[in-house]
Amino acid sequence: MFFKKKKFYVCSVCGFDRLRGPLYNKDGLPDISLICGCCGFHPGYDDDELGYSFETYRNKWIQNGMEWLREEEKPTNWDLNKQLSNINVSYKG
Ligand SMILES: [Zn+2]
């Protein structure tokens, strides 16, 4: 049986590890076709233009109730800090 291993990428804002590509390529250019299914971060729109860093975007998203852009992508028993550990961040609410 043919088995293809899927490669996923991690969101620098929320740590969601099911992005279908990197938010930024190796030259640092944003992939504007990508949007995080968790925090809704949209590279090239939500970052420099608005003067947001990943951290400010993350804090804003957490303060707004950590809403998922695509609820269907949310794992059961989802845990914020477990997800944030993907990017070596922890949040104390
Ligand atoms: Zn995200």
Side-chain angles (χ1 to χ4, degrees), residues 27-39:
D27 297 320
L29 294 169
D31 182 347
I32 56 165
S33 72
L34 270 180
I35 186 158
C36 178
C38 177
C39 67

Side-chain angles (χ1 to χ4, degrees), residues 21-67:
L23 292 174
Y24 300 89
N25 69 16
K26 57 182 186 313
D27 297 320
L29 294 169
D31 182 347
I32 56 165
S33 72
L34 270 180
I35 186 158
C36 178
C38 177
C39 67
F41 183 76
H42 197 179
Y45 288 88
D46 293 331
D47 44 20
D48 288 348
E49 239 167 83
L50 297 170
Y52 280 172
S53 67
F54 293 140
E55 199 183 353
T56 44
Y57 193 93
R58 181 188 308 125
N59 289 335
K60 187 172 154 267
W61 173 70
I62 291 171
Q63 279 155 20
N64 286 338
M66 298 171 277
E67 263 190 55

Side-chain angles (χ1 to χ4, degrees), residues 1 4 7-8 18-19 26-28 30 36 43 57 63-65 67 70 74:
M1 199 179 115
K4 194 178 171 208
K7 198 177 175 193
F8 290 111
R18 290 288 182 274
L19 297 182
K26 57 182 186 313
D27 297 320
C36 178
Y57 193 93
Q63 279 155 20
N64 286 338
E67 263 190 55
R70 289 191 283 267
K74 186 176 181 176

